[in-house]
Amino acid sequence: MAESWATSEGTRKSMLANKRRDTSTELAVRRELHSRGLRYRVDFAPVPGIRRRADITFTRARVAVFIDGCFWHGCPLHGTSPRQNADYWGPKLAANIERDRDTDRHLEDAGWRVMRFWEHQAPRETADQIEAAVRG
């Protein structure tokens, strides 16, 4: 196996199956927002020249929404530290968290409101907060 991150074929298949966009939580939030009459961009880079894409973007309201996976972004409730190949995953996950903070700073400096939610949060409650920000 060429990939240094995969400790087994099962791990490799599991990790390759992870989606970058259109996760079940993201789709549920988008359905809820759409049912409320809100229209948005999906997987959109709000600031030209910065290679960071928001999951849901309201361009007129300048609201960028990220729905972060508990494992990948270090959820304090559900984030876990892999036991196998920890020398690879520890720095990788820490870099994800730092990149999230850097993204927030770049977008806020450009006049965007950044909203972050965890994948385990209820889609309806997430949509309530997003709607309030977009309409308010």
Side-chain angles (χ1 to χ4, degrees):
M1 207 172 317
E3 293 89 2
S4 63
W5 53 267
T7 54
S8 70
E9 183 61 21
T11 299
R12 187 177 91 65
K13 285 182 179 178
S14 175
M15 290 304 190
L16 290 174
N18 284 308
K19 295 178 171 186
R20 186 176 76 89
R21 60 173 276 182
D22 298 337
T23 64
S24 59
T25 304
E26 187 181 326
L27 291 172
V29 171
R30 287 179 6 211
R31 272 192 301 275
E32 185 67 33
L33 292 169
H34 194 271
S35 74
R36 298 174 186 204
L38 295 170
R39 301 301 178 258
Y40 45 81
R41 304 281 307 260
V42 175
D43 193 34
F44 180 74
V47 179
I50 299 175
R51 292 184 53 208
R52 312 284 169 83
R53 304 179 76 77
D55 296 319
I56 303 168
T57 308
F58 297 88
T59 53
R60 286 191 187 125
R62 296 181 70 79
V63 174
V65 178
F66 296 87
I67 300 176
D68 294 335
C70 291
F71 173 76
W72 296 105
H73 298 271
C75 172
L77 297 177
H78 304 107
T80 59
S81 297
R83 291 177 301 223
Q84 293 191 356
N85 212 0
D87 290 342
Y88 173 82
W89 286 108
K92 165 80 173 138
L93 298 177
N96 288 351
I97 294 166
E98 179 52 38
R99 187 172 43 257
D100 290 344
R101 301 297 75 80
D102 184 60
T103 298
D104 295 350
R105 282 189 296 273
H106 280 321
L107 293 178
E108 288 166 358
D109 288 349
W112 286 80
R113 177 170 181 183
V114 177
M115 301 183 78
R116 287 193 177 271
F117 300 93
W118 294 109
E119 67 180 340
H120 66 264
Q121 291 179 268
R124 181 169 283 137
E125 292 170 13
T126 298
D128 288 345
Q129 292 178 47
I130 295 168
E131 181 179 21
V134 171
R135 295 195 196 276

